[in-house]
Amino acid sequence: MPHSPQKATLLDRCEAHGLRLTDQRRVIAQVIEAARDHPDVEALHARANAVDPRISIATVYRTVKLFEEAGLLERLEFGDGRARYEDAERDHHDHLIDMATGEVIEFCDPEIERLKEAIARRLGYRLKGHRLELFGIKLKR
Amino acid sequence: MPHSPQKATLLDRCEAHGLRLTDQRRVIAQVIEAARDHPDVEALHARANAVDPRISIATVYRTVKLFEEAGLLERLEFGDGRARYEDAERDHHDHLIDMATGEVIEFCDPEIERLKEAIARRLGYRLKGHRLELFGIKLKR
DNA sequence: TTAACTGCAAATCTTTTGCGAGGAA
DNA sequence: TTCCTCGCAAAAGATTTGCAGTTAA
C-alpha cells in the first residue's frame, strides 16, 4: 500500500523559518508534535518539564507566540479563557466540543470548506483564516 | 408594506426570565439593545456610564454573565482576549473579521447553517451552539 | 563576538469575588 | 422583611515584560 508523503517535522519547519534552535524550543516543538489533543500553555509546560525541568512557563508562552507568528502553530479558543495550540501543518479540520464532557472531536467537511471560501469571496474578501466550532450534546443511542 | 413581527425587548425578556430589574440592569440592557456593533465589557461600561455614572464595571461583568446564562445574550470571542456581547434574540448570523481593520461583517448563509446541523448529527450530537468566524483581507476592486 | 534567548519575578490585563450597605419584591 | 444586588477594592487567572545572566550561530 502507498504511504502518505512525509511531512516536515515542526523542528525542521522552525529551522526553515530561520528561528534559532535552543534546547527549550526543541523540547517544546517535540511536545507539540507528539500531542494528540489540544493542550493549553500550562499543559505544554508540564509536558516540556517532564523532559527538561529547566523550562519556564514564560518561555513556553514566548515560544508558542513565536511559533504562531511564524505560522507554525494554530491558536484555538474553546471559550474557557485559555488558549490552546496545535500544529498548523496538520490537515485542516474544525472542532465539535462536547458540552457535557469538554471532549473535542475533530472533523473536516469539504463542502463547508468550500462554502467558507465562497462566502468570503461574495463579501469581497480573500479568506486568510477561519474557525468553526460546534457545541453539542451527545444523542442517546 | 408589511412590517416584521415586533420582537420582545431585552428588558421584557429579562422580566420574563424572572430577573430582578434594577436601574443598572435596565440601563445595561438598553445599551446592549441599542448597540449596532459587538461591544466588549469596557465599551458597555462606558456607554452605560454615559447614561448613569453610578454603574460600576463589576456590575457590568455580573450582568452580562447573568444575561448570558439566561440565554439572553451571546458571548463572542474574536481572538483579542476580550469577550464581546450581542443580543441573542437577533437573527442568527456569523462573522467575518477584516484582518486589516478589525471591522466585523455579519453574514448568514442558510446552506452553511444546514451543514452545521448535519455534521453534528453525523457525529452523533445534537447541535446546541456553534460559532463560525472567517478572517479575511479585502479584495482589491 | 553579539544579538537573541532564558529564568525569575514583577507587571499587566481581563474577569471574579468578599464584604458591608442599599434596594426590589 | 428578606433576599438579591451594588460599589469598592482586593483577588484570581492568563499572559507579558524588564532585567541580568546565558547561548546559538
Side-chain angles (χ1 to χ4, degrees), chain B residues 11-83:
Chain B
L11 213 55
D12 287 345
R13 282 176 280 141
C14 287
E15 212 159 15
H17 271 262
L19 300 182
R20 187 182 285 190
L21 289 185
T22 64
D23 290 348
Q24 289 87 337
R25 290 183 184 173
R26 255 184 272 269
V27 171
I28 293 167
Q30 181 182 313
V31 163
I32 290 169
E33 203 151 35
R36 291 285 162 273
D37 53 353
H38 305 83
D40 58 24
V41 170
E42 198 182 339
L44 290 176
H45 181 231
R47 294 176 201 180
N49 260 299
V51 179
D52 181 347
R54 295 173 318 161
I55 299 174
S56 79
I57 196 159
T59 294
V60 180
Y61 272 108
R62 280 191 272 235
T63 302
V64 291
K65 177 176 247 196
L66 180 80
F67 285 4
E68 194 208 345
E69 282 165 356
L72 307 174
L73 278 193
E74 194 162 336
R75 184 211 298 257
L76 307 171
E77 284 174 66
F78 293 157
D80 60 355
R82 280 166 295 175

Side-chain angles (χ1 to χ4, degrees), chain B residues 54-122:
Chain B
R54 295 173 318 161
I55 299 174
S56 79
I57 196 159
T59 294
V60 180
Y61 272 108
R62 280 191 272 235
T63 302
V64 291
K65 177 176 247 196
L66 180 80
F67 285 4
E68 194 208 345
E69 282 165 356
L72 307 174
L73 278 193
E74 194 162 336
R75 184 211 298 257
L76 307 171
E77 284 174 66
F78 293 157
D80 60 355
R82 280 166 295 175
R84 292 155 184 282
Y85 293 88
E86 70 179 21
D87 191 332
E89 194 71 358
R90 300 189 45 206
D91 294 325
H92 171 74
H93 57 266
D94 295 307
H95 298 97
L96 186 155
I97 295 100
D98 186 319
M99 293 174 80
T101 67
E103 187 192 356
V104 177
I105 294 147
E106 302 183 345
F107 66 88
C108 188
D109 183 278
E111 198 174 347
I112 226 167
E113 296 305 315
R114 186 181 56 70
L115 273 172
K116 287 179 187 174
E117 281 285 358
I119 289 166
R121 202 170 332 111
R122 186 197 313 153

